[in-house]
Amino acid sequence: MATLNEIICATNIKNTGFGECVIDPGKIMGAIRVPRGKVYTQAELTALRATLEADRLAALKANRIFPIHNFVGVTDNSEDVVFETLEYGSQKPVRDGNYRLTYRYTDGALCLSNALQTHNFGGLTSWLFYDDKDLLLGWRKLDATGLAYGLAGIPCVFHALKWRQATGSTSPIYSVYFDFDPKYFNKYLGFVQADFPLNEITGLQNINLSQSGASAAGVIKLIAKAGCDGANLYPLYNGQLDTPTAWTAINAATGNVITIDSVAVDANISGFTLTLDDADADYPATSGGLVTINLVDPAALDALDVSGYEGIAITTTRG
Amino acid sequence: MHKPVTKISFNPKVKRLTVEQFITRFQPIYPEADLQAYANELGLISEAVAPEAPPAIPSLVDGAECWPPKGEEALTEEAPATSSKTSKQKGGKK
């Protein structure tokens, strides 16, 4: 409790005894970008796996988490404590230096590197870290009720560094840099012991849609490929994406939803044929009218057993 | 080698169509599919057995002929005396 004109000195120092079980973080193995301002409540932390699974599938990127896993090394360039050297020769601590940590990863390679670089230059971003014992680390922050503490992401200057080329003795180097105030990892440290491997909470992959041929009066043929490697998803998911409930169609001019009448699997193009309802009031009136086609949101795709993907919309004429 | 497109998933909303409309609409798109079988699966009804549209009722088609009913105008003019009662009845407890 804060009291006017009263400083807190000896009353807030802590005793130095400890029990048999102590918190002793191991090697940091991964980091998860979480929504800014998000505080995971005790209820959410109790169901940690379900909470993180739901957040990785969030429809809005502002509500989504973005994990990076399997760090293979750390370069600690943290600032030393800053001391002032006084006139008589003694030193006085002025402030703790910031953590400045660079983690190297190899999984995901250039695909992940390019994706992570889109998170650069966005101001402070919030991150949880986890160690080799799946201890999830963040900072203790009051939740929205103002009555209970939850776990929040640590505000960091984040930068996905440009990759460095392989040499005769090293593979390419992909790495990410975090700079943050030490108070979050010390005085305000918050942690939760996960009871599952946190690297099972994976980031989403994009599904890029491309059109095969030209549209013909509400008939649009699409090919779905995974974002980075361009692998066609037809062989894997033609039995899941062959339903109108897997797709969305929107009148690009009005933003209104157009009914999709049918979806057919088309082995000739290794893709899908969509037919739009030409009797729908939102179907563009003219042949040059634009429609935006996409897959349903990640959670809905997950429900169709197409797990870990997000469609990237394509806009084309309705034909 | 061309592979016939025969595996189709239809939106249940196409049940608004008759069998004939369904086949006319989708035959050009899926010429190799057994659309009759899909129509059966969807439970579409053929025009031959579809119920005919009910005959037009003149009074509903052209309401101007019979609306307002005779005497309505007179009733409306008397409205100040009856309208508050009407609204109370609508909004009051049953």
Side-chain angles (χ1 to χ4, degrees), chain A:
Chain A
M1 186 182 72
T3 306
L4 185 64
N5 283 9
E6 188 175 300
I7 59 171
I8 302 168
C9 291
T11 55
N12 73 336
I13 62 173
K14 293 184 177 176
N15 295 320
T16 54
F18 52 87
E20 290 180 3
C21 186
V22 294
I23 174 174
D24 185 20
K27 298 188 296 284
I28 296 297
M29 298 302 291
I32 302 173
R33 181 177 175 177
V34 297
R36 194 168 184 177
K38 168 75 178 177
V39 180
Y40 286 97
T41 63
Q42 183 57 57
E44 289 174 313
L45 295 172
T46 301
L48 185 61
R49 184 171 201 137
T51 298
L52 296 179
E53 280 285 353
D55 283 359
R56 86 181 181 112
L57 299 173
L60 290 177
K61 285 183 177 171
N63 297 331
R64 190 177 298 163
I65 61 171
F66 300 89
I68 317 169
H69 297 304
N70 303 333
F71 292 157
V72 295
V74 61
T75 303
D76 188 342
N77 287 321
S78 297
E79 276 184 290
D80 290 331
V81 179
V82 176
F83 287 97
E84 178 188 6
T85 302
L86 303 173
E87 289 84 346
Y88 291 169
S90 61
Q91 288 190 317
K92 181 181 180 183
V94 177
R95 64 178 176 86
D96 274 333
N98 266 22
Y99 282 112
R100 288 174 182 161
L101 303 162
T102 302
Y103 297 102
R104 184 179 174 187
Y105 60 91
T106 55
D107 289 359
L110 195 52
C111 288
L112 179 57
S113 176
N114 281 343
L116 288 173
Q117 285 183 30
T118 65
H119 294 250
N120 291 350
F121 303 115
L124 290 178
T125 50
S126 297
W127 295 81
L128 300 174
F129 298 85
Y130 67 88
D131 74 0
D132 52 3
K133 291 169 282 194
D134 292 309
L135 186 71
L136 189 61
L137 303 164
W139 73 287
R140 289 177 79 237
K141 186 180 181 184
L142 282 172
D143 66 17
T145 67
L147 300 172
Y149 281 97
L151 187 70
I154 293 172
C156 295
V157 172
F158 168 85
H159 201 85
L161 301 172
K162 62 181 181 289
W163 68 284
R164 294 170 63 183
Q165 296 178 35
T167 68
S169 58
T170 64
S171 56
I173 294 175
Y174 307 100
S175 52
V176 284
Y177 169 85
F178 298 89
D179 180 328
F180 56 94
D181 192 312
K183 69 184 178 186
Y184 296 110
F185 247 16
N186 292 272
K187 182 178 180 183
Y188 298 121
L189 179 69
F191 60 90
V192 171
Q193 179 64 57
D195 58 0
F196 62 94
L198 283 161
N199 64 3
E200 290 186 356
I201 307 296
T202 55
L204 299 181
Q205 293 187 64
N206 287 348
I207 297 179
N208 291 326
L209 301 173
S210 59
Q211 193 171 4
S212 174
S215 309
V219 181
I220 298 167
K221 292 177 181 286
L222 294 169
I223 296 168
K225 291 184 175 180
C228 186
D229 59 3
N232 193 328
L233 297 177
Y234 175 88
L236 273 179
Y237 296 117
N238 70 76
Q240 285 77 28
L241 300 179
D242 66 343
T243 168
T245 57
W247 302 83
T248 62
I250 289 171
N251 182 318
T254 65
N256 292 336
V257 173
I258 304 167
T259 299
I260 297 170
D261 265 353
S262 73
V263 175
V265 294
D266 189 339
N268 298 295
I269 60 166
S270 293
F272 304 87
T273 299
L274 276 64
T275 57
L276 307 184
D277 180 2
D278 55 8
D280 191 317
D282 294 305
Y283 182 74
T286 56
S287 62
L290 295 176
V291 293
T292 299
I293 309 292
N294 201 353
L295 290 156
V296 288
D297 67 48
L301 280 177
D302 186 66
L304 292 167
D305 287 334
V306 182
S307 213
Y309 291 97
E310 180 181 38
I312 305 300
I314 180 174
T315 297
T316 183
T317 61
R318 62 92 156 153

